[in-house]
Amino acid sequence: MINKPSLPQGTRDFNAAVIRKRNFIFSTIKNIFEIYGFQPLETPAMENFETLMGKYGEEGDRLIFKILNNGLSNEKNIEKTKAGFEKLLEGKNSTDITERALKYDLTIPFARYVAMNHTKLTFPFKRYQIQPVWRADRPQKGRYREFTQCDADVVGSKSLYNETELANIYHQVFCELRITNYELRINSRKILAALAEACGGNEKMVDITVAIDKLDKIGIDKVKIELEERGLTTIQIETIEKFLNITGSNQQKILALHEMFGKNKLAAEGMQELAFVQNHAIPETNLVFDFTLARGLNYYTGVIFEVKAPAEIKMGSIGGGGRYDDLTGLFGVNDIPGVGISFGVDRIYDVMEELNLFPEDLQIGPKAIFFNMGQKEVDFAFNIMQNLRNHGIACEIILEEMKIAKQFSLAEKKNIAYAIIIGEKEIEQNYCQVKNLATGEQHVVVLENLVEFLGKMP
RNA sequence: GUAGUCGUAGCUCAGUUGGUUAGAGCAUCAGAUUGUGAUUCUGAGGGUCGGGGGUUCGAGCCCCCUCGAUUACCCCA
């Protein structure tokens, strides 16, 4: 009994039409990365499990796709396998069962790469990376188990100009994709740290940020309840509420924050960072200071970014990133600060599809197709076709005999621009009919001139 | 990991309180029509009703399990 074939949950096949649209996004992003001086890097689909473990928080670890070791049932491994499995059942991980995992993002593998190669790299080192990543998350709208990230990171530079450049990359990419009303939210972890300090200490930072990050979604009252559940006192919650009530323009927000934190050093630094980015960057309609922005990943230390899709689309963030002081420290190489951003191509695709933003001329097939007017004619046309191909003109020939009407609809489905008809008469008199399939216009072209003719036609 | 909704032809969907052999439109194929895409007409093929089990004289419909899709939560791009 043969089962119906299917795909693993959350994965997709991409047909030609989809790939052309995806490539449009990829090439737009890639070009701009290159213009800003970033160089490409690719890393393996899988990493050693230990490389990824513990880098994304508890929730993140749960979502890493683990790869089962080979040879588990091999006699000499069987004791180890059993012991390892016992550990798994206790909720622990065991390298006796899994030594490798699919990569979860591009940042940690990049940090691993930098740590491994830091003696050979020239700093500041700028790389971009466009590759699929995998997460064992439950799929839903805009969420896939296999999706592609486009990252750009600079390591070995503390300059805030990097943040500014990255903000401008976001702006330039989204303008080119015509997602003009995207929103780039930025915050600084230092401001959040200052808030945590004002609320009884750094160890409260995670609790506070996780809760206030949800303000948009669940509202102030529920945030307060969550803060209470997380052990914050009433006075501390009042402070946080005051913090969350800061609204207005970016300028007004800074003023209010200034008033609230006074001379607090961390807060002042954070505000300075945000102001710096704003002064060198993009329109305020796109750049929004958002002090509630936290971002889950623990390794961020300075400015953090998150890109929101246009408000009319219900979609999570379509990009994110931030500054990390010591990412490679996780791999034993200290003092390499960095900052990076990421584009979520799959979500950008969904947004563009919904807003109908893809250019119409992306769907191009071969330029010409030779109709089948009989076996002898095919034989003749084949050589003409090869000559076109040798001149770089994409074309094909219909090898099966079929009715003319069908040949036309076939050509149309393949998005082919021109039909070339060579029948008995044409062979005798050394010409062909070239029909523009979009307009219906038909030309008589002498065979010697066909390359030149098609070369000139759009 | 938790919860809701859904699953009938290639696609979009009908299908009565459970009742004969499960339907339509579109698409496909063949013919009218052996050198120009349309229209029209005629005909044809196509279904383990997601899968398994149960209740029943009888299940596409009711019950249980399971798989998949989708949406939301958690978290995230």
Side-chain angles (χ1 to χ4, degrees), chain A residues 136-176:
Chain A
D137 213 336
R138 191 65 60 101
Q140 54 181 275
K141 184 176 180 180
R143 178 177 302 184
Y144 307 95
R145 290 186 141 182
E146 177 182 64
F147 62 98
T148 304
Q149 291 192 322
C150 302
D151 278 31
D153 286 77
V154 187
V155 291
S157 170
K158 286 186 174 169
S159 169
L160 273 173
Y161 277 105
N162 293 304
E163 276 84 335
T164 305
E165 288 188 283
L166 294 172
N168 276 285
I169 287 176
Y170 270 136
H171 187 64
Q172 231 164 306
V173 166
F174 288 120
C175 285
E176 258 181 50

Side-chain angles (χ1 to χ4, degrees), chain A residues 45-54 56-70 72 84-85 87-89 91-104 134-137 145:
Chain A
M46 60 183 113
E47 291 280 344
N48 289 328
F49 186 50
E50 279 149 14
T51 303
L52 306 182
M53 249 335 257
Y56 308 107
E58 210 177 302
E59 186 72 15
D61 288 350
R62 205 167 59 82
L63 300 179
I64 294 171
F65 270 108
K66 300 160 191 83
I67 298 170
L68 212 53
N69 290 353
N70 289 68
L72 288 176
F85 200 73
K87 275 173 82 179
L88 282 191
L89 291 178
K92 295 175 196 159
N93 288 296
S94 166
T95 50
D96 291 331
I97 301 291
T98 171
E99 285 173 352
R100 291 166 288 269
L102 294 177
K103 65 178 174 234
Y104 177 91
W134 293 267
R135 295 185 189 177
D137 213 336
R145 290 186 141 182

Side-chain angles (χ1 to χ4, degrees), chain A residues 118-262:
Chain A
H118 70 281
T119 54
K120 298 177 220 158
L121 298 175
T122 318
F123 293 99
F125 178 62
K126 298 166 80 171
R127 83 86 174 79
Y128 72 88
Q129 192 169 350
I130 301 179
Q131 287 193 277
V133 300
W134 293 267
R135 295 185 189 177
D137 213 336
R138 191 65 60 101
Q140 54 181 275
K141 184 176 180 180
R143 178 177 302 184
Y144 307 95
R145 290 186 141 182
E146 177 182 64
F147 62 98
T148 304
Q149 291 192 322
C150 302
D151 278 31
D153 286 77
V154 187
V155 291
S157 170
K158 286 186 174 169
S159 169
L160 273 173
Y161 277 105
N162 293 304
E163 276 84 335
T164 305
E165 288 188 283
L166 294 172
N168 276 285
I169 287 176
Y170 270 136
H171 187 64
Q172 231 164 306
V173 166
F174 288 120
C175 285
E176 258 181 50
L177 296 177
R178 293 159 55 203
I179 307 177
T180 46
N181 52 340
Y182 78 96
E183 210 174 72
L184 175 60
R185 306 219 169 166
I186 73 167
N187 192 12
S188 172
R189 275 283 164 105
K190 288 173 187 168
I191 292 171
L192 295 170
L195 177 67
E197 220 169 69
C199 294
N202 224 338
E203 70 279 1
K204 286 280 177 227
M205 182 150 160
V206 172
D207 284 317
I208 294 172
T209 53
V210 168
I212 67 174
D213 199 33
K214 297 177 189 167
L215 180 67
D216 268 1
K217 246 184 194 167
I218 62 177
I220 182 76
D221 293 331
K222 286 191 179 158
V223 169
K224 280 160 75 176
I225 291 169
E226 181 155 348
L227 286 167
E228 208 178 321
E229 283 167 1
R230 287 173 182 272
L232 279 287
T233 67
T234 314
I235 295 173
Q236 290 166 346
I237 292 175
E238 263 173 38
T239 309
I240 293 167
E241 190 176 3
K242 195 176 151 200
F243 177 83
L244 293 181
N245 278 332
I246 294 173
T247 55
S249 68
N250 291 343
Q251 206 54 42
Q252 290 166 325
K253 283 180 188 168
I254 287 282
L255 283 174
L257 200 66
H258 205 73
E259 208 168 285
M260 182 167 169
F261 283 110

